[in-house]
Amino acid sequence: MEEQTDLFRVKKGLAQMLKGGVIMDVVTPEQAKIAEDAGACAVMALERVPADIRADGGVARMSDPDMIMGIIDAVSIPVMAKARIGHFVEAQILESLGVDYIDESEVLTPADNDFHIYKHDFKVPFVCGCRNLGEAMRRIGEGAAMMRTKGEAGTGDVVEAVYHARTVLGDIRRLQSMPIEEVMTFAKEIGAPFEILMETRELGRLPVVNFAAGGIATPADAALMMQLGVDGLFVGSGIFKSGDPAKRAAAIVKACTHYNDPGILADVSKNLGEAMVGINVSTMPDEEKLAGRGW
Amino acid sequence: MKIGVLALQGAFEEHIVMLKKLGAETAEVRLSEQLDDLDGLIIPGGESTTIGKLMVDFDLLEPIREFGLAHAIWGTCAGAILLSKDAHREQPLLELMDITVERNAFGRQLDSFEAGLDVDFLKQATGAGDPFHAVFIRAPIIESVGADVETLISLPDGRIVAAQQGHLLATSFHPELTGDTRFHEYFLSLVGAG
């Protein structure tokens, strides 16, 4: 048997297996079990969910490796963990722990105000956030094997998730409809690597799996993002900051599968208890928004 | 010929693309009534715990079991786990194939790999028996097979990665992630034979 691994395909491949699923933020092994039992396709291990990072302030960093290992040992599904933007040593540490995906995340305090991690250098795959097509193309150029539209994490307000998904998907529709001679200038305008932009134009979608994130709190939010055309969902504070996490988690998983069936969506939306309280993004000062982090 | 792809979670779209390349009619299956007019079913890669839970929640376990008695079903990766009778863990399974599997048998994502597999048996159905480039992602292995199960592919160390029991097919790798349609052609030949 000759080993002939196309590393980027293997990295992208795991994200393809997560499609149509919900990746949930968890802060303890117990929460990880609840998420797995509710049907999560993966968990994001972190010390504080974004709503608490917001409330606590201060510098948010990679989580304690011991806490991450506890979660890896607790579940059979893939485990992701977050590194700060540009903090390639946090990424090296997470890789050595054996996490299945690293999220180079704007939810943590950036470690570099100019540069992201060069992700092709790692064997572990990375997911990164984006607000528009140019940002997605740059992250893929650096080696991200999965994208997520950023939304505004820790708010429970879906408005930014919708805006970023519509922007990325709308940019792709525009890219496809423009004559080919306009693509290079478009690449210049949005700061995108030309070859990856051409590949995107050819495919009519991002060349890697694209999930939505940042503010999804209800089954209806989940189905809204799926109907807009993303491949799956990250739900952070929305589950474990709600009144009945197990029930809400299971309902969001079902909504992600049956996103086109309003009867089922109505059914799974019943009696879920309190949703997370939430912060209205339109009244939030710009400097408190996390989505602007990333270059 | 109409082939359903179970679309609860996972890489179902990739299978549909491959089937369409081969001219098959396709359908996404999320509810049991969608099995009614199908000639065969693919259970894709994804997370077997997620897919299994959704099968229970939406009453698909029994209908798929019944479907499998008379029709061809192919499970890739998570799908192979779901076809098995034992995965060494409390999780819903179809138990259609007399195989036991070990989940994540090669390790975590860092141990995912690709390999060229000897697939001489594909020659008859597809006309080409040259090595098949296979993608293994947090892949299971087929630990043991019952008397009615034929081992199709083993790795050089003897671990089984593809097996067949009549019209039921299990592979621990992902033919839907490469451009090579031979496994899909082979599955269609099983559907046709049924």
Side-chain angles (χ1 to χ4, degrees), chain A residues 126-165:
Chain A
F126 281 75
V127 54
C128 287
C130 64
R131 289 163 299 168
N132 53 53
L133 187 59
E135 199 172 10
M137 298 286 96
R138 291 193 294 280
R139 297 295 86 81
I140 296 167
E142 294 156 356
M146 178 179 185
M147 294 305 305
R148 53 174 175 77
T149 49
K150 285 179 179 171
E152 194 53 42
T155 62
D157 187 346
V158 81
V159 67
E160 293 291 289
V162 168
Y163 175 52
H164 296 154

Side-chain angles (χ1 to χ4, degrees), chain A residues 4-6 9-10 13 16-19 36-37 39-41 76-78 95 98 100 123 254 257-258, chain B residues 8-10 14 30 46-47 50 53-54 57-58 89 103-104 108-110 112 114 116 133 137-138 174:
Chain A
Q4 37 188 345
T5 298
D6 173 346
R9 180 161 58 193
V10 168
Q16 285 172 280
M17 298 309 138
L18 301 175
K19 282 166 61 174
E36 182 176 44
D37 291 344
C41 66
S76 66
I77 55 178
E95 180 172 61
D100 295 296
K123 194 171 181 207
K254 290 177 194 169
T257 295
H258 293 283
Chain B
L8 298 176
Q9 188 270 325
E14 286 77 353
R30 291 182 176 82
E47 278 307 312
T50 304
K53 178 174 191 302
L54 288 164
D57 290 343
F58 293 96
R89 195 180 178 281
R103 290 180 57 195
N104 303 332
R108 308 190 62 83
Q109 173 63 12
L110 284 170
S112 292
E114 300 186 355
H133 192 81
I137 294 173
R138 284 173 52 98
H174 296 283

Side-chain angles (χ1 to χ4, degrees), chain A residues 98-111:
Chain A
V99 303
D100 295 296
Y101 244 92
I102 294 176
D103 183 2
E104 186 185 18
S105 177
E106 71 283 359
V107 168
L108 304 184
T109 310

Side-chain angles (χ1 to χ4, degrees), chain B residues 132-159:
Chain B
F132 190 92
H133 192 81
V135 186
F136 292 83
I137 294 173
R138 284 173 52 98
I141 55 159
I142 300 164
E143 215 171 38
S144 62
V145 299
D148 298 335
V149 182
E150 187 190 351
T151 296
L152 295 179
I153 305 173
S154 307
L155 298 178
D157 61 10
R159 291 192 284 184

